[in-house]
Structure formats: C-alpha cells, structure tokens
Amino acid sequence: MAYNFNSSAWMSSWELSKAREEPVAIISVKDLQLQVIAGADGWTGDWVKTTCPQQPALVSVSLALRRPFKKASEDDDIAGDTIHYGLIKIAIMDAIRAYHARGINPEFATELSMKSICIFIASVLIRRSIAVGRNVNWFSVTIMLPKSSLRGAGASLTAQSIFKNPSLEEQEAGTLQSIGHIGESSTLRLHDLTVSTIIGLLPKERTMKQNVVANIEIDRWVGHGDLHWDIQQIVVKTIEESSFQTLEALAERISKNIVRHSLIPTMIKQASRTDNWDELADDYEEVPWEKTLVPKLCPIVKVKLEKPSIYIDTTPCVEMSMDIRPSCDSPYFSLWEGYKRLHICPRPLIGTLTDWIAQEHEGSKNGTSSNVAGVNRKLDGLQPNLAKTSQDTEEVTAQPGEHPENPKDGKSPRLDLNQKLDGSQTDTSIYDDTEEETVALPKEHPKTPKDGESSIVRDLERKLKTLQRNIAQLRKTTQDIMAPRKELDDEESTTLVGIGQKLDAFKQEFADAQKTIQEIVVRQSPSASKNL
C-alpha cells in the first residue's frame, strides 16, 4: 500500500473489486476506538500547529484469506493458516503511536490526514508480515472521523490492496513485502451530510424546504491530504443555495462544483511539481493531457442524494458517477475549461458559493460571465416566490364548498410533468385523483371574497401569468445568447444586463402581488373564524 500514483496498479474501488479473488475467509477488527490528531474537527474548520485537536477515530482492518484455516479449526488453536485478531489490534495501536511520535508540527498540513494514518497502519501490518504472505489475497484499512463534520456522520478513508498467489520462483526472487502485489485503491467518503433546501416537482415542495441527505465518494483518490473539509463546504453551500426540481440536476451541480473548485486546482498544483504548466496551452482542448501527470491523478466523483421526507413509506434516491479524466471523448471534458484560472474555494467561505464563483469569472470580457451568473441566480430565486404566490391565489379564489387541495369536482391541481424543468413556471395540470386518495373537506369554509377583492385577485392572477411568460422568454433569450461558445459582444452583454434589471423589477412586482393577496387572506380569516 504505497500510494504511488505512478504505479500502474492504481485502481478504483470498483476495478479492484472485480480483480479480487473471492475470499475463503476474512479476519477483521472493526471500529477500534482511538484518539488521533488528524487535522481539524467539525468546529475548528482548519488545523493550527499549536492547537490541533485530538478527535475520536474508528479504525477497521480486514484481511481476506485465499485458503481455509483448516488446521486452526481442527486443533482449536492459533495456527499458521490463520491470523490472530489480537495481533491486528496491537499493530493498529502501535501504528497510531508511531504516527503521533512525529509531533504535531509537520512541514505540510497534509501529513495530518487520514491517508497518512492509513499508510502508517499498513506499513506496520506489512512489516510484521500480517497483511502479506501466500495466504492473504486482500486487505483493507478504514479510518472514520465521526466528529469531523457538524452536518453529517463524518468523513472516512478506505485504502485497499490485493495480491496474487505468488509462484515458488517469485517467492525466492522477491521479498515478503512485495510478493504478489497487483493493485491498490483509496476512497475518501463524506457520510450523510444533511442539508435543508427547496427541491422537488410538487407545488408544496416549491414552498417548503426539506432535507436532502448527501453521501459523497472521491474514488481513486491519490491526492495529498484529505480535502474532506473543502468538499463538505462546497456540497453544503451548493445544496443550500439551489432550488432544483430534480435530484438528478442537483447531483450533477454538486459534482461539477466539487470538480472545478476543489479537485482540479488540487491536481494542477500537485502535477505542477513535474509538469511545466507555463508551456501548456490555455485552451484545455489543445493540451496533450496524456503526456502530463493529470490523468493518473484524476479521481472518480460519486454522489448519492436522498429525500427522506417526501414519502412516508419509502425514500427516493439518485446516484451518479463522474470520471473526470480529461479526454475529448468524455462527457465532462468541458469541466477543464479555464483550468489554469481555477482556484480552491476558500474555507471558511464568507458569503454564497454562487457569488464567489461569479467573482472568480469576472476576468471575462465586460464581466459577461458574472452577468450571466447574476441572471441565472435571479431566475432561480423567483422559483419559490412564483409557487408561493400561486398557492395564495388558489386559497383566496377557492369557492364555498371547495378547498384548494380538494376541488369540488374531484380534480386536483398537480404539477405538469411535461412542463419545463427549469423551474421558471409553476403551471399545474388537472388529473383525476379521486381513486388515488380522498381527503375529508372541512365542515365550514370561508365566505366568498367580496366582489372588489375577487376582481383584484383575478387581475393579480392574470398579471402573474404574464410575468411567468416573460420570465420564460427571458430565460430562453439568456440561453440563446450563451449557447454558442464565444466571447460576447457589447450588444449581447448589454442585453444580459437589461435582463437582470427586468428580473429585479419583476421580483418587486411579485412581492407587491404577494403582499396584496396575503392582506386579503388575513381579512378573510376573522369572518371564517366566526362561522366555525
């Protein structure tokens, strides 16, 4: 387990699992509780030389055997065909002591990491001939830091190695430590990050936040340090600031933000020690990536998202995987655009991630990238307001004997799944759900609004529909401008600025309309209470 990215044996966890022999037996020590110095915990955000805290860690080691421990079972005693778990536990504890013996002032902060701890543990296991030998075909070391996050269950790193069955000639020619080694992998994970956001297609999901649970994997992780603090910040802020309708769109946005604002800058910095980046083209499509160290450093980003609150009887889940190795055949090749100008997101980040990303791209001509980001933020920001206003309008205009959620004819307003998924519209379609669910109507209902108020509401409803159409047209105009990959001219840049100004005006009109509708609802409430 050398963690040498120049090794051809470096694999993803999936590739390693396919290359493994099926184990006959597995010996494990699980969740050994220790205190380690591994950088920041969930509160400090970063490590400081003089105050780097100790935090709890759970260490697990597993060894797979290719032959059964027949003699040990027959003699009911420790024999050479098995590995005593007590020796594994002692090796782990000795490795942690050796790790701490270096002191807490390393030359590089990356030495205070889960990967560094895993290397120490693996080295002791190999040196004591516990994790190698003719009978061992795989071993795994996992360290979990449960207090490294305030938003989830913690971060972990799993390192694995596999071995082939060496021949007699190989045993005579090689040392015990190197015999049969054919592959290794390393996977960084963030567990159960829980963030509240606007997500979903249903009208109620556009007005109320719900929890999204995210599990992140950085597979084939070769980089120095762990980066889990930086990645967690990006994931949390991406979810908090979003208002997508699908988990699929949110998962891809999370993956892209992790890649562009954490992984690519880290890999470029690491590869710059051997590659001369000043001589490479600024255009990512013209870079001979295969001649650089980058393809060997590129991990695979995996995102798993869950919405546990939407259903009582199940939890919907979406998973995606993104291999970011730069190749013209890759669907994610465009993520390398502007690779020389990308920076790691500062931690802690003051303000929103969206604003920071827009600020990072202000170097473009006339600030057009920033303008586009601002327009998109304003369009996204109007989504929940549109839905809330539509809901209030339904409540005010409901007729006696009719509830907004249960109209008198058995029809129920539901979100049209064929509508645009960009979130700029909240039109609903009607379908018969009488057989699907039945909700009892209230015994009493508010009186019909006064004629003047009904007229106001109808006017507001017509105005809202007009504004929705205008917003959809503005979004289309923005997409048409940005579709060609080119520098924007002055006219197009001016158009984007104008769109942003119109959206500001629309937002104010929405606010005024919502205020008027809410005032009408409040005036109706006393009369409704008297009738109850």
Side-chain angles (χ1 to χ4, degrees):
M1 194 171 291
Y3 297 96
N4 180 7
F5 48 75
N6 291 313
S7 172
S8 59
W10 196 256
M11 302 177 173
S12 69
S13 57
W14 175 259
E15 293 168 336
L16 187 138
S17 66
K18 292 191 295 182
R20 280 180 57 186
E21 301 175 43
E22 183 176 2
V24 174
I26 296 178
I27 311 295
S28 299
V29 171
K30 293 186 177 181
D31 296 337
L32 178 60
Q33 301 180 37
L34 299 167
Q35 292 287 322
V36 300
I37 299 174
D41 59 11
W43 291 100
T44 55
D46 206 347
W47 75 279
V48 181
K49 290 183 178 181
T50 56
T51 61
C52 188
Q54 283 201 358
Q55 57 181 305
L58 303 176
V59 179
S60 301
V61 172
S62 296
L63 301 161
L65 307 181
R66 61 167 50 94
R67 298 181 183 85
F69 35 73
K70 187 174 182 180
K71 182 172 177 57
S73 60
E74 289 177 350
D75 297 346
D76 193 17
D77 195 5
I78 302 300
D81 55 1
T82 188
I83 300 171
H84 191 262
Y85 40 79
L87 297 177
I88 300 175
K89 177 185 176 182
I90 293 173
I92 295 172
M93 297 175 68
D94 289 345
I96 297 299
R97 278 193 287 268
Y99 168 79
H100 286 151
R102 304 171 307 158
I104 64 170
N105 294 321
E107 182 180 356
F108 300 104
T110 54
E111 294 182 20
L112 288 177
S113 66
M114 292 186 288
K115 175 168 282 190
S116 182
I117 294 174
C118 284
I119 292 175
F120 267 78
I121 294 174
S123 298
V124 173
L125 290 171
I126 291 174
R127 189 167 59 249
R128 297 183 182 181
S129 302
I130 296 175
V132 292
R134 288 182 299 170
N135 201 27
V136 177
N137 63 16
W138 164 83
F139 84 90
S140 169
V141 179
T142 298
I143 177 169
M144 172 79 173
L145 302 179
K147 298 299 182 180
S148 64
S149 171
L150 302 180
R151 293 293 195 113
S156 71
L157 184 79
T158 299
Q160 304 178 74
S161 286
I162 55 175
F163 306 89
K164 67 177 181 179
N165 191 3
S167 64
L168 292 176
E169 292 78 8
E170 289 173 326
Q171 294 181 49
E172 294 174 356
T175 62
L176 186 61
Q177 285 81 356
S178 61
I179 285 177
H181 180 264
I182 58 175
E184 57 188 317
S185 73
S186 176
T187 306
L188 177 66
R189 293 183 175 90
L190 278 71
H191 300 268
D192 296 337
L193 290 175
T194 303
V195 186
S196 181
T197 189
I198 293 290
I199 181 74
L201 287 161
L202 301 176
K204 63 182 179 182
E205 293 182 293
R206 307 311 301 168
T207 60
M208 297 181 64
K209 291 186 176 182
Q210 59 181 307
N211 285 339
V212 171
V213 180
N215 284 273
I216 312 297
E217 286 189 19
I218 310 298
D219 199 2
R220 204 170 59 207
W221 174 236
V222 194
H224 297 305
D226 299 324
L227 278 188
H228 56 272
W229 301 288
D230 302 288
I231 294 173
Q232 174 183 291
Q233 176 179 253
I234 290 174
V235 173
V236 170
K237 284 191 171 289
T238 300
I239 297 176
E240 283 180 338
E241 298 169 18
S242 69
S243 56
F244 289 104
Q245 296 187 131
T246 63
L247 289 174
E248 289 85 348
L250 178 57
E252 182 149 327
R253 175 67 62 83
I254 291 172
S255 300
K256 289 180 177 179
N257 282 349
I258 290 174
V259 171
R260 285 186 61 81
H261 307 297
S262 179
L263 297 181
I264 288 181
T266 300
M267 288 185 289
I268 295 299
K269 182 179 179 181
Q270 189 173 350
S272 63
R273 299 173 184 175
T274 57
D275 299 327
N276 190 350
W277 290 99
D278 294 334
E279 297 179 358
L280 298 179
D282 293 337
D283 187 348
Y284 71 100
E285 294 181 334
E286 298 178 2
V287 176
W289 293 106
E290 67 281 357
K291 297 180 180 180
T292 70
L293 193 59
V294 168
K296 296 179 180 179
L297 298 175
C298 283
I300 299 174
V301 180
K302 300 178 182 179
V303 176
K304 176 182 177 182
L305 299 180
E306 297 178 350
K307 284 199 311 183
S309 304
I310 187 62
Y311 299 127
I312 296 177
D313 51 357
T314 188
T315 298
C317 174
V318 167
E319 299 183 47
M320 71 167 294
S321 177
M322 183 180 289
D323 191 335
I324 63 172
R325 282 176 287 196
S327 168
C328 58
D329 298 328
S330 170
Y332 305 112
F333 190 30
S334 60
L335 292 177
W336 290 87
E337 183 177 5
Y339 68 99
K340 288 186 177 181
R341 300 189 303 272
L342 295 177
H343 299 93
I344 297 177
C345 182
R347 177 169 52 86
L349 177 62
I350 306 302
T352 67
L353 179 64
T354 307
D355 288 337
W356 179 82
I357 293 174
Q359 186 178 2
E360 282 289 290
H361 292 81
E362 281 184 353
S364 300
K365 182 179 179 181
N366 297 324
T368 52
S369 294
S370 180
N371 290 337
V372 173
V375 168
N376 288 331
R377 287 200 305 276
K378 291 171 183 177
L379 286 169
D380 292 339
L382 286 172
Q383 294 174 17
N385 292 338
L386 279 168
K388 182 67 170 67
T389 304
S390 177
Q391 182 182 6
D392 289 342
T393 303
E394 289 179 1
E395 183 177 347
V396 173
T397 57
Q399 298 299 317
E402 175 184 344
H403 189 272
E405 296 295 330
N406 302 278
K408 57 186 178 182
D409 58 357
K411 304 289 184 177
S412 177
R414 296 296 175 91
L415 200 64
D416 183 3
L417 296 181
N418 294 321
Q419 74 176 24
K420 292 183 179 179
L421 294 181
D422 59 10
S424 62
Q425 301 183 26
T426 55
D427 295 337
T428 57
S429 61
I430 303 298
Y431 79 96
D432 192 342
D433 66 348
T434 307
E435 297 180 358
E436 180 184 68
E437 59 180 348
T438 302
V439 181
L441 295 174
K443 294 181 180 180
E444 298 289 341
H445 299 275
K447 293 182 179 180
T448 306
K450 298 178 181 179
D451 293 339
E453 292 178 348
S454 297
S455 176
I456 293 174
V457 171
R458 286 194 295 271
D459 290 342
L460 289 173
E461 192 171 17
R462 285 194 295 270
K463 189 174 185 179
L464 288 175
K465 290 181 179 179
T466 301
L467 291 175
Q468 287 174 351
R469 289 193 295 270
N470 291 340
I471 289 173
Q473 182 60 41
L474 290 176
R475 183 181 288 275
K476 184 177 184 302
T477 302
T478 303
Q479 292 172 345
D480 291 343
I481 291 175
M482 296 306 299
R485 298 181 58 185
K486 62 178 183 178
E487 293 289 342
L488 303 185
D489 56 31
D490 293 339
E491 182 179 352
E492 291 171 328
S493 180
T494 302
T495 301
L496 289 177
V497 173
I499 290 175
Q501 294 172 347
K502 289 181 180 179
L503 289 174
D504 287 334
F506 288 165
K507 190 171 184 179
Q508 184 59 46
E509 291 185 53
F510 274 120
D512 295 340
Q514 284 181 315
K515 183 178 179 181
T516 302
I517 292 174
Q518 289 170 357
E519 289 175 352
I520 295 174
V521 173
V522 171
R523 286 199 296 271
Q524 290 180 24
S525 298
S527 60
S529 300
K530 293 178 181 179
N531 294 328
L532 293 177

